[in-house]
Amino acid sequence: MKKAFYFLIIIFLASCSKKDGGKLVCNMTYNLTNEKKASLQTKAYSTSDRYTQFGDYIGSVTPNKFLIKFLSLKLCNTWENQNNNLDIIDNNKLDWTSTDRIADFSENSTVSIAIDGNIPADIEMIYLVSIPMFYYQEFELPEQYSGFTINVFGSNDLACLHFGSSSNIDYPAADSGIGGIKEGRIIKGSNNPLMAPIFDENWINVTLNGSPKPFPEWPRTTVFGNTDSTFIYSSTGTSIDDPLGTGGDIIRSSKFNSITIQAIPEGETKTITGIMTFNTEELIQIYAGKDNIPYTFDDVFVYAPKFWERISVILDSY
């Protein structure tokens, strides 16, 4: 009887171990330059692209610090069946304040993340779905703006910046996003005010019941891969261009190589290495605003046209 009991225990433990299988780790490096990037670009972005609705172009600024905090980062092998999707950053399991969520491009940082999920057979991942919480940057204003102060939507501010008073880069209230501060000519803050002119036609109307107006809903989801071009797609549900069915406006990008993840034998650990590049050269453009006079309070600071074309991802299998 005892032999039969121990035999059953051994079978149970063996089955549990087999179910766990091997382990997969992703080492993701974030940087501002990448020699391989050119091979992924079907259409290169241009630093000479300009808007026409914000007055005369004044100049451009390159952030000296740039990072993204991710809500989710997921590999997908199809849009029709999500059983084999793998989370690099799993919003449901990763602690909200974990540094694994932070991509510091200005520091060429590398984050090592253990990926949950068994790999029973080779799987080709044709998508990488990125959902950021926010972008954060620090940049220096041209010296002509030395006399300005930046408060909260004040009439004597640089109204275009729309920065609040918070310097905390943890994710804040969902309706307003991270704030920003000015230290001398140094601006520290989120992407919200720099995207508002692009995605909200009424962005200049900055009050709502006497309070700051919430920033517009910018396309938070970027779907890399399984396309030969880069564009914004308006989704109404799960499709080839929206494999997770997030809906709304999403960024589609061709700048990702599909990757085949091989089956991992039980007890072994395999590694994926990745490079995500965001070229921030002259990322922030400055325009003369409604009065079309440079260096006045209504000047417009905004991300360059098609800024999403500056992002690329390369993954290499083990």
Side-chain angles (χ1 to χ4, degrees):
M1 184 68 178
K2 287 185 177 180
K3 289 183 178 179
F5 175 77
Y6 289 132
F7 181 71
L8 291 173
I9 291 295
I10 291 171
I11 292 177
F12 174 76
L13 293 176
S15 66
C16 288
S17 177
K18 185 176 181 180
K19 183 178 180 180
D20 289 342
K23 297 183 183 301
L24 181 62
V25 174
C26 179
N27 292 331
M28 184 71 78
T29 299
Y30 305 99
N31 64 26
L32 299 178
T33 57
N34 181 1
E35 293 179 357
K36 295 182 180 179
K37 183 181 65 173
S39 65
L40 295 176
Q41 290 182 326
T42 57
K43 178 183 177 183
Y45 68 85
S46 172
T47 55
S48 63
D49 286 345
R50 302 284 184 263
Y51 296 105
T52 59
Q53 66 269 42
F54 303 131
D56 290 344
Y57 170 75
I58 298 174
S60 296
V61 176
T62 300
N64 55 30
K65 185 175 183 63
F66 187 89
L67 61 83
I68 295 176
K69 188 170 184 178
F70 287 105
L71 182 72
S72 175
L73 194 61
K74 183 190 295 284
L75 287 166
C76 306
N77 72 323
T78 177
W79 65 274
E80 298 172 302
N81 184 348
Q82 300 181 15
N83 291 335
N84 292 322
N85 292 350
L86 293 174
D87 288 287
I88 298 175
I89 295 176
D90 188 340
N91 183 52
N92 295 320
K93 295 181 179 180
L94 188 62
D95 186 86
W96 200 253
T97 60
S98 172
T99 56
D100 288 348
R101 293 185 183 272
I102 300 293
D104 192 339
F105 293 86
S106 47
E107 296 295 333
N108 291 339
S109 62
T110 297
V111 178
S112 182
I113 305 171
I115 299 177
D116 290 337
N118 296 321
I119 314 295
D122 293 1
I123 305 174
E124 183 183 14
M125 296 297 184
I126 60 175
Y127 296 104
L128 177 70
V129 181
S130 163
I131 307 178
M133 293 183 185
F134 58 80
Y135 302 169
Y136 171 88
Q137 59 266 298
E138 298 178 6
F139 61 94
E140 185 174 11
L141 294 170
E143 62 181 357
Q144 290 90 338
Y145 295 103
S146 297
F148 288 91
T149 60
I150 298 180
N151 300 316
V152 182
F153 302 99
S155 59
N156 294 320
D157 304 338
L158 295 176
C160 53
L161 286 179
H162 290 188
F163 281 125
S165 58
S166 172
S167 61
N168 180 13
I169 66 170
D170 285 333
Y171 195 58
D175 62 344
S176 61
I178 179 178
I181 60 173
K182 177 176 180 288
E183 298 173 345
R185 298 207 318 267
I186 302 299
I187 297 294
K188 301 178 180 181
S190 79
N191 56 289
N192 283 322
L194 301 169
M195 287 186 180
I198 305 173
F199 298 110
D200 184 359
E201 295 180 355
N202 298 312
W203 65 276
I204 197 63
N205 300 319
V206 296
T207 60
L208 182 65
N209 296 325
S211 300
K213 178 183 177 181
F215 289 109
E217 187 62 27
W218 48 279
R220 293 182 182 274
T221 301
T222 299
V223 178
F224 295 92
N226 202 27
T227 181
D228 58 4
S229 60
T230 300
F231 56 94
I232 289 185
Y233 172 71
S234 294
S235 172
T236 57
T238 305
S239 68
I240 192 172
D241 287 315
D242 186 7
L244 298 183
T246 55
D249 288 342
I250 64 175
I251 296 169
R252 289 291 283 118
S253 176
S254 61
K255 297 170 185 177
F256 170 74
N257 60 298
S258 63
I259 177 174
T260 297
I261 300 177
Q262 300 172 352
I264 305 176
E266 178 185 345
E268 293 189 15
T269 299
K270 300 294 185 179
T271 302
I272 299 172
T273 58
I275 300 175
M276 180 178 288
T277 299
F278 199 139
N279 193 313
T280 60
E281 180 184 0
E282 299 183 354
L283 174 63
I284 300 168
Q285 294 184 347
I286 311 172
Y287 292 84
K290 186 176 181 179
D291 65 6
N292 209 29
I293 301 174
Y295 310 117
T296 56
F297 76 94
D298 71 340
D299 291 357
V300 176
F301 287 66
V302 63
Y303 280 161
K306 301 178 182 178
F307 64 87
W308 48 85
E309 294 186 353
R310 297 163 171 258
I311 309 172
S312 65
V313 185
I314 293 176
L315 292 180
D316 293 320
S317 57
Y318 40 79

